[in-house]
Amino acid sequence: TKAPRRMMAICNNLGFVPDKFFPKGSGKDYEPSPYLEELAEVRDRFTVLDGVSHPGVSGSHASDVSFLTGAPGPGTGGFQNSVSLDQFVAAQLGPVTRFPSLTLGVNAYPGRRSLSWTESGVLIPCEDKASEVYRRLFLRGTDAQVKAQINELRLGRSIMDAVGQQSKSLQKQLGQRDRERLDQFQTAVRDVERRLLENEAWAERPKPQPPIAQPTDPAQRTAFMEKSRLMFQMAKLAFETDSTRAITLLLDTNYTPTVSDLEDSDVEITDGYHNLSHHGLNSKKLAQLEAIDRNHLRLFRQFLQNLAGVTEGENDLLTNTAIISGSTLGDANKHTTTNLPMLLAGGRFQHGQALAFDRQQNYPLPNLFVSVLQQMGIEADRFATSTGTMRGLELA
């Protein structure tokens, strides 16, 4: 009977132009930056963070894989990722929804980039097509198709059982390092088995009625803003129908060519997104990058407003959904991974403020994750490299 509590994490892996993003001052009376002016209509629904980062996470463009894990050393030899925040949440909540989590992406580099990682540090690929997300959420198929799907799930489970048994027979023949790798593999197999069982349990249950028609995916990666808008729409529908409680969205700007579909902008984009991020203070490149950044924030504002427009219990959908949005690059032009541009929106927190920490000795970003977990009712005192909950962030 109580309204569910949810989380979403959004990462733009090229970040924002720093001096356009961060506000002046702190607390409730902070002076918004040019970028934060785009969010003026929802100022009381978010908190802006300054002076935060992931301890030990460097690696330039490789750092986005640690956005929700905090695992140090991405991009180095022998790097092993750890469980991401959304997958930790999914494991704690169990199969209370059809999808324990949704892993979404816009232009996400296939098989290489994702915000979601299993307990054993295995990448969960992004779904890059809004039409496919819609199909999974709302389209059930015929009885024959459902039966075939269940048979496929059972076959997959039997294969996983066989693989698991065979791997155990190798255990005594291996050295310590190989045994550790085999243990990681067995953990991954058990995770797949669990997911197959959960999928089989939901396969015969009816899906929600689709509230809108199936979207049409843009044909080109250059239609970046439209692809992003559709993914925000799918995230809203997934939460609104309680199809999941955890969503990640990777805006892979590093893998995006020239952006061709800016709205409310007279600026012509003539270069690829990545090249623009390395602007070298060139005024023409900065003007193009600012136009793109502003479009990002307008889409984010619209997303928050759309969630706030849905009544759920005694609150609205935004109040029941904590949204972490930011990047693991503080300044893409310099490849720095400190002073990250971060926003926390929604959830049952006191918002309308800026929390400013030491820009020389950054405050650990995973403390925010612990606060989000506790706000969702999940008992957790630590996550990744956290030192506790986030200072200055209070519950409403």
Side-chain angles (χ1 to χ4, degrees), residues 25 52 57 98 111 146 154 230 233 268 290 311 313 365 381:
V52 298
V57 173
R98 183 178 295 275
V146 171
R154 289 174 178 169
L230 288 175
Q233 186 180 53
E268 181 184 3
E290 180 176 347
T311 300
L365 178 59
D381 296 323

Side-chain angles (χ1 to χ4, degrees), residues 14 17 110 155 193 260 278 335 339 346 356 370:
L14 286 177
V17 178
L155 175 61
E193 288 176 337
S260 64
H278 294 295
H335 284 177
N339 298 318
V370 176

